[in-house]
Amino acid sequence: MSPITNNTMQVKKMNLELVRQALKSMKQGTKSMVAQATGLSVATCGNMLNELLDTGELFELDLEESSGGRPAKLYQYNVNYSYIACMIIQAGVETHSLNYRVANLAGETISEGGLEAAQMNAGVIEEEVDRLLSLYPQIRAVGIGVPGAVYEGVINLCDIPELVNVPLMDRIHEKHNIGVLIENDMNSTVYGFYRKQEYEEDKSVAVVTFVEGSFPGAGIMVDGHIHRGNTRFAGEISFLPFGMSREEQLRQLHNRDTFPHLSAWAISSLIAVMNPETIALTGSLIQPPDVQMIRLECLKYIPEMHVPQLTLLEHPEEDYMYGLITMTLESLSYSLQLVEKRR
């Protein structure tokens, strides 16, 4: 394929994505309204709208009323044109769980459910993907959240050892030819938490979890963007130099006398490095009185003016799933960076 042909195809894909996003935002609109929202010409928008209409990605509604002349056609995006499936994997003391949600392109729930298993391995996850795709063949992407570090689609550190070093992303993609996103649970949670706040400007926030039977972890947003780090290891706060073995760290985290002190060390480190506006605390080891105790411990190391708001996140699964759904939907969108530079 020649460079000119390739560039033309890229521009077309980006124009289509601009039109999609415009209609999703407007709910419905005319060709002129879409042109105004995207900055594209009316003629280009007409071509894009016709193409999306032919594939069923758009609906053509009743003609818009006009004060005179020919009435304009009205278009609406078909949010049920395709679906995504998202699964959150959680490690338990005796059993592990998998909770899923099938959603349309507006993020609205089509179906949800889950299962528990003493052994959670790639086979269990793949069987669930197979089942959901057989029920909903219009699924275009799968998002999987895991309690561990993920690098290039492979889990390299996890509270569920059976999932480590398994090329799960490639296996699902090759079998079903769909998009696959595998994301750290805390990254998904902090993204969901952040998006729900609807900040008017970019902020820095973190979500820190302390779960029974597991090491702590954190999801980090810096200036409105997830901070994953060079090898996607950011947020693995259990590897901070606490001056003790990991076995001793786990023991002290599960001791009510030492928990506030040890957790405050980790949180103080986050404050010193990222200076966030808010840190949300969650997990089965956190109790409501701990929030104030941890804050007082942090004040031993951090000047008060720099200590962020500490809050208790009581239902992290909601933010986890919301974040994963949002990220999976975003993975379907063709990159608009070149368009933004061009405009």
Side-chain angles (χ1 to χ4, degrees):
M1 183 180 296
S2 69
I4 295 177
T5 302
N6 188 46
N7 288 339
T8 301
M9 291 180 64
Q10 286 184 340
V11 170
K12 181 180 179 181
K13 287 180 179 179
M14 290 187 287
N15 287 344
L16 280 169
E17 189 60 33
L18 279 171
V19 171
R20 283 190 187 98
Q21 296 302 330
L23 274 175
K24 285 179 182 178
S25 299
M26 292 187 294
K27 306 302 181 185
Q28 61 184 43
T30 64
K31 181 167 55 178
S32 296
M33 292 167 65
V34 173
Q36 185 176 5
T38 61
L40 300 173
S41 70
V42 173
T44 298
C45 285
N47 292 333
M48 300 298 103
L49 288 167
N50 286 334
E51 186 164 330
L52 293 172
L53 196 62
D54 289 341
T55 61
E57 206 167 341
L58 298 184
F59 293 130
E60 188 175 313
L61 306 177
D62 293 335
L63 297 179
E64 185 183 55
E65 293 184 9
S66 175
S67 56
R70 186 177 178 180
K73 293 181 179 179
L74 198 58
Y75 300 93
Q76 178 178 310
Y77 193 77
N78 178 11
V79 296
N80 291 308
Y81 175 70
S82 57
Y83 296 159
I84 62 168
C86 289
M87 302 178 179
I88 59 176
I89 314 299
Q90 294 175 298
V93 177
E94 296 181 358
T95 62
H96 307 310
S97 65
L98 181 158
N99 293 299
Y100 74 83
R101 189 172 298 176
V102 176
N104 64 15
L105 297 177
E108 299 165 338
T109 300
I110 303 300
S111 174
E112 60 186 329
L115 58 88
E116 291 191 354
Q119 294 291 321
M120 183 64 67
N121 53 40
V124 174
I125 298 171
E126 289 179 276
E127 285 178 9
E128 195 63 8
V129 171
D130 294 345
R131 188 184 72 83
L132 291 175
L133 281 165
S134 67
L135 292 173
Y136 306 99
Q138 61 270 62
I139 290 174
R140 286 180 56 200
V142 173
I144 302 172
V146 297
V150 183
Y151 183 62
E152 296 183 347
V154 178
I155 304 162
N156 58 74
L157 180 72
C158 190
D159 292 334
I160 304 175
E162 291 83 1
L163 298 178
V164 174
N165 295 327
V166 179
L168 186 60
M169 183 180 75
D170 289 342
R171 280 164 51 165
I172 295 173
H173 174 71
E174 290 170 5
K175 183 174 183 179
H176 297 289
N177 193 29
I178 58 173
V180 182
L181 171 73
I182 300 182
E183 184 58 87
N184 169 266
D185 57 350
M186 296 311 300
N187 287 343
S188 299
T189 303
V190 75
Y191 194 59
F193 172 78
Y194 184 92
R195 290 291 296 266
K196 284 185 176 181
Q197 308 311 306
E198 297 183 342
Y199 292 118
E200 293 184 359
E201 57 185 41
D202 293 340
K203 300 287 186 180
S204 296
V205 304
V207 175
V208 183
T209 186
F210 298 95
V211 181
E212 183 182 2
S214 300
F215 286 101
I220 300 169
M221 296 280 295
V222 176
D223 295 334
H225 300 279
I226 296 177
H227 178 64
R228 295 183 173 89
N230 180 47
T231 60
R232 307 298 191 262
F233 189 69
E236 297 296 337
I237 57 174
S238 69
F239 289 90
L240 287 167
F242 291 110
M244 64 186 74
S245 67
R246 287 175 65 77
E247 291 75 15
E248 177 60 18
Q249 179 191 158
L250 199 62
R251 188 191 69 78
Q252 290 198 24
L253 285 169
H254 286 71
N255 184 316
R256 294 303 305 164
D257 293 330
T258 53
F259 172 76
H261 179 68
L262 190 60
S263 58
W265 277 3
I267 292 165
S268 295
S269 297
L270 282 175
I271 295 170
V273 170
M274 61 175 293
N275 189 204
E277 178 188 75
T278 300
I279 295 181
L281 306 176
T282 188
S284 55
L285 293 177
I286 285 279
Q287 298 177 10
D290 292 336
V291 177
Q292 180 62 13
M293 293 173 64
I294 291 171
R295 185 180 186 278
L296 293 174
E297 283 289 324
C298 288
L299 286 171
K300 295 179 180 179
Y301 315 108
I302 305 292
E304 186 170 10
M305 69 173 291
H306 303 301
V307 175
Q309 176 187 7
L310 298 183
T311 184
L312 185 65
L313 190 61
E314 296 182 344
H315 304 289
E317 295 85 1
E318 296 176 9
D319 295 294
Y320 185 179
M321 183 62 83
Y322 179 70
L324 188 60
I325 287 174
T326 304
M327 295 166 77
T328 306
L329 286 172
E330 289 173 352
S331 75
L332 290 174
S333 300
Y334 190 81
S335 174
L336 297 179
Q337 292 180 355
L338 294 178
V339 174
E340 294 302 322
K341 292 178 182 178
R342 181 166 58 86
R343 290 172 61 188

